[in-house]
Amino acid sequence: MAQMIGGIFTSHVPAIGAAIAKGLQQDPYWKPFFDGFIPVHKWLAAQRPDVAIMFYNDHGLNFFLDKLPTFAVGAAAKYQNADEGWGLPLFRPCQGDTDLSWHIIETLVAHEFDITTCQDLLIDHALSIPLELAWPDHTGDFPVRIVPIAINTVQHPLPSPKRALALGRAVHAAVQSWASDAKVVVFGTGGLSHQLDGERAGHMNPDYDRFCMDNLAADPDALTLHSSLDIVDLAGSQGIEILNWIAARGAMGDGVHEISRNYHIPISNTAAATMLLQTDAVRLLAQA
Ligand code: DHB
Ligand code: FE
């Protein structure tokens, strides 16, 4: 049986990608953010997941306002990074896990989620930057195969936090029923509070961010008490990327605890956060 071992949650600000490309990890502006990945690197070296299911939002690279699926699942054998307009250098491609992709797709449809299936999908900064943050050794390929799951956080009407959590929980059921001995980690990317444009550009809300971080491990349902529009109000129009975190947390199942967190405000226009959560499966695997 496949094992869900943990979750990595991180902001995906494009400027982080530029800092990686320029090697600025020890620069005083960047160090407090990059240092949040030290426990993540230790954990990944010890746990060695085989597959990463990545909840993120596409920023106009595959889906623009003319066609925007609410939930889309990648089912490609390989994912190439492309630049949707930030001028970032191209990041490494990543292998897909088509077996898990199709198992997730079938499970989600069986759970009555009407998803879009993508056998051809480019990955943008919201996927590439978290991968580069988690596995910064640029000399080789990423040591995981990925399954990308894109959530619409861009165009209204947005899915509700309740629906995002239910989507994640259905993905958890898929992992639990996947005939594989793979170790699976999930990623939730984006957030925390930020607004890039309009009258409230630069809006951040540390109180709401703390509420999210404090409840993510033990009580993710608490994050569904606000509607998506409430969250836009609280966290900014891009702060709704917390939907990716909520879905990823749902995919971890029950029995989850926090290993580390880092909150650094601001990076660009964003209250930047990194969290590492672990499931009880890790302890059970160690005892087996
Ligand atoms: C920024 C944050 C994002 O989540 C994003 O997708 C683009 C830009 C920013 O703060 O600059
Ligand atoms: Fe974003």
Side-chain angles (χ1 to χ4, degrees), residues 11-15 57 59 84 86 124-126 189-196 204 238-239 241 267-271:
S11 306
H12 61 217
V13 179
N57 58 292
H59 295 72
E84 74 278 20
W86 296 99
D124 75 6
H125 74 272
T189 94
L192 289 175
S193 57
H194 62 303
Q195 171 143 346
L196 301 180
M204 293 172 220
Q238 282 74 38
E241 289 175 347
I267 293 284
S268 182
N269 286 300
T270 298

Side-chain angles (χ1 to χ4, degrees), residues 213-259:
M213 291 187 286
D214 285 349
N215 284 293
L216 191 67
D219 186 13
D221 289 276
L223 277 66
T224 69
L225 299 179
H226 298 108
S227 71
S228 284
L229 289 181
D230 288 341
I231 296 176
V232 168
D233 204 25
L234 285 163
S237 48
Q238 282 74 38
I240 190 61
E241 289 175 347
I242 190 73
L243 290 178
N244 305 328
W245 287 44
I246 293 170
R249 171 62 190 87
M252 295 183 71
D254 296 331
V256 169
H257 63 275
E258 183 176 328
I259 304 273

